[in-house]
Amino acid sequence: MKLLTHNLLSSHVRGVGPRGFPLRIQATEVRVSPVDFNPDFVTRMIPKMEWTALVEAAESLGHLSELPRELAEGYEKDEEFLRKVHHVLLEVEVVEGTLQCPESGRLFPISRGIPNMLLSDEEAAS
Amino acid sequence: MACGGRRPEHRGPPELFYNEDEARKYTHNSRMIEIQTQMSERAVELLSLPEDQPCFLLDVGCGSGLSGDFISEQGHYWVGIDISSAMLDVAVDREVEGDLLKGDMGQGIPFRPGSFDGCISISAVQWLCNADQRMHNPAKRLHRFFSSLYSALARGARAVLQLYPENAEQLELITTQAMKAGFTGGMVVDFPNSTKAKKFFLCLFVGPSGVLPTGLGTECGDEQERKESKFSKERLRYKTAKGKSLKKSRDWILEKKERRRRQGKEVRADTRYTGRKRRPHF
């Protein structure tokens, strides 16, 4: 699971709503894999990111990699900055671990890089 | 996929139907790969994404990642969701570029509002119409799916869902729930006159209604109804109503050779002699 996905993932346990974000990561295995840098894509995705949650997640994995804690203006032209964001969003992957819903405490296991988001019938919204 | 007349949805829930054997079929059967790739191509075409812009897409029922591979080839990024562990395992083994999630679309799409620039789904949504467990209610599950999908899509985004509706009632049920969730749009049917080639694409828009594209194989019908006949020296390449090349024509021969190459068989190279007219004594 890449940090890009994690920053958009939100718990869908019944009754949780927007308080189901961000999911807390507990990682037992993290992998860094190279991905081709695409500045257009990174620039387009930055406005969709919850920056604080991204910094927290990267830090918890030990891969903050000089990412600034606050988003500065005019980042579209700053290639060095875009490369750092690219690295954190697309190259850092959680292979094994768990995600925890901040509101309900429900744990979602991650195995082989795939989070298991299946809910029981009681947990699924009516 | 329809097989032998019986629908797979009647055999049980998707997480059991798509086991290791079925998953293997999806990655080794060249015909299946061909069909899935064609439908993915058509679905992405119907998405009408802005040119030369890398987008972030959702693939519902991504399975072993066949459709996802096509999305990656087009330069886009994607997240796939599927309920079958066996299929997802194959996707991981195939090292697909998209991120994968194990989940049940009938429980909702667990993403923040406006996450995706578009969504495709190949041969998956009809599985929502079956109540596999006592507490399942197809209408509720469809509503949960469509309303969470609507929320997860950005304004102006589209969802193109290829599906195999069992009958008119099912089609009605699906489209009604989609409209209730706030989507506009409708059904695009390719090759409506052919039982085998007919394909349904539910095209949904978030926001003001776009123009619904026409289905393939519908324009050809109009041309044939012209009252005058045109005489020309032009040698026409014929295609049947299914969109397949006429048997034994050069196009057909080239397609067959390509199919066999994909199966890994030894095939002679294509030259200017391939499929040329022989002297009558052949």
Side-chain angles (χ1 to χ4, degrees):
Chain A
M1 180 199 66
K2 301 191 167 86
L3 289 181
L4 168 62
T5 308
H6 167 261
N7 196 269
L8 295 168
L9 212 53
S10 183
S11 166
H12 53 322
V13 171
R14 189 209 320 237
V16 148
R19 296 177 309 277
F21 175 87
L23 295 163
R24 232 167 276 137
I25 313 179
Q26 285 279 356
T28 50
E29 190 185 327
V30 178
R31 175 179 65 208
V32 175
S33 331
V35 172
D36 289 339
F37 174 56
N38 186 329
D40 288 332
F41 181 68
V42 180
T43 311
R44 289 192 61 236
M45 293 308 288
I46 289 176
K48 290 190 187 178
M49 301 286 100
E50 282 286 332
W51 200 256
T52 324
L54 179 62
V55 169
E56 256 175 50
E59 204 165 27
S60 74
L61 297 181
H63 281 270
L64 189 55
S65 316
E66 302 165 16
L67 201 68
R69 287 181 184 278
E70 277 178 33
L71 197 52
E73 278 199 24
Y75 57 77
E76 300 91 350
K77 308 276 169 58
D78 188 348
E79 188 183 308
E80 209 182 298
F81 170 74
L82 290 177
R83 279 188 183 272
K84 287 183 196 163
V85 179
H86 163 82
H87 173 75
V88 169
L89 287 181
L90 297 174
E91 295 185 330
V92 179
E93 290 179 66
V94 179
V95 180
E96 300 286 331
T98 53
L99 294 170
Q100 185 173 38
C101 171
E103 177 76 5
S104 66
R106 213 272 200 191
L107 291 170
F108 299 99
I110 305 175
S111 167
R112 294 190 89 199
I114 307 176
N116 182 344
M117 309 297 291
L118 284 169
L119 299 173
S120 67
D121 283 325
E122 294 80 47
E123 289 171 317
S126 56
Chain B
M1 284 279 305
C3 24
R6 279 190 68 208
R7 290 177 64 90
E9 296 90 41
H10 293 168
R11 292 208 209 149
E15 61 269 30
L16 295 184
F17 178 79
Y18 291 104
N19 55 19
E20 281 84 17
D21 290 330
E22 196 67 26
R24 204 178 308 125
K25 227 194 275 176
Y26 263 78
T27 31
H28 291 98
N29 183 321
S30 55
R31 186 177 136 76
M32 216 172 237
I33 295 173
E34 192 182 327
I35 295 176
Q36 295 287 312
T37 309
Q38 263 171 32
M39 293 197 288
S40 310
E41 205 174 313
R42 180 67 172 137
V44 174
E45 183 189 339
L46 289 169
L47 270 181
S48 297
L49 296 168
E51 267 186 50
D52 297 328
Q53 207 179 92
C55 294
F56 192 54
L57 306 177
L58 175 67
D59 186 345
V60 174
C62 62
S64 51
L66 284 175
S67 41
D69 281 345
F70 180 77
I71 299 174
S72 298
E73 262 170 60
Q74 298 297 298
H76 302 300
Y77 298 75
W78 56 279
V79 171
I81 184 168
D82 203 276
I83 200 170
S84 159
S85 307
M87 293 289 258
L88 288 170
D89 277 338
V90 173
V92 172
D93 292 337
R94 294 178 67 246
E95 294 184 355
V96 296
E97 289 179 35
D99 255 4
L100 302 164
L101 293 177
K102 180 145 90 176
D104 180 351
M105 55 171 128
Q107 292 182 344
I109 303 295
F111 281 89
R112 283 199 281 122
S115 294
F116 296 103
D117 301 318
C119 166
I120 65 164
S121 178
I122 307 296
S123 319
V125 175
Q126 74 272 1
W127 283 96
L128 281 173
C129 296
N130 292 80
D132 296 308
Q133 289 163 47
R134 199 168 32 93
M135 300 199 347
H136 278 186
N137 175 333
K140 255 193 194 168
R141 285 168 56 74
L142 282 162
H143 178 75
R144 185 91 197 98
F145 167 62
F146 282 119
S147 51
S148 55
L149 178 62
Y150 186 82
S151 155
L153 288 169
R155 190 128 187 102
R158 287 190 193 188
V160 176
L161 315 173
Q162 182 274 325
L163 43 83
Y164 293 105
E166 188 171 353
N167 48 42
E169 287 78 40
Q170 220 184 60
L171 208 55
E172 175 86 32
L173 176 64
I174 294 171
T175 39
T176 309
Q177 292 305 322
M179 298 305 143
K180 273 192 184 167
F183 283 111
T184 52
M187 199 65 82
V188 174
V189 186
D190 285 349
F191 306 111
N193 303 313
S194 158
T195 6
K196 238 186 162 191
K198 195 173 189 180
K199 294 284 183 288
F200 291 88
F201 292 89
L202 183 56
C203 291
L204 304 171
F205 310 116
V206 177
S209 188
V211 178
L212 207 60
T214 35
L216 296 172
T218 45
E219 282 139 56
C220 301
D222 286 331
E223 265 159 66
Q224 279 155 19
E225 272 160 78
R226 273 201 212 128
K227 299 267 160 88
E228 300 153 32
S229 32
K230 274 189 177 172
F231 293 97
S232 75
K233 291 213 173 134
E234 188 194 329
R235 191 197 284 168
L236 292 169
R237 298 224 160 198
Y238 284 102
K239 291 217 163 188
T240 66
K242 288 183 193 178
K244 286 196 186 148
S245 300
L246 198 64
K247 239 183 175 170
K248 311 301 181 189
S249 68
R250 189 164 188 272
D251 285 340
W252 178 85
I253 292 173
L254 291 170
E255 278 166 29
K256 178 160 184 181
K257 288 173 80 176
E258 191 53 45
R259 212 179 307 138
R260 288 176 72 84
R261 273 189 205 105
R262 258 183 267 135
Q263 287 171 1
K265 299 193 173 136
E266 218 181 279
V267 182
R268 305 282 254 183
D270 294 334
T271 70
R272 66 173 181 274
Y273 299 108
T274 306
R276 76 177 165 103
K277 275 197 168 312
R278 265 65 174 180
R279 268 178 30 229
H281 74 81
F282 267 101

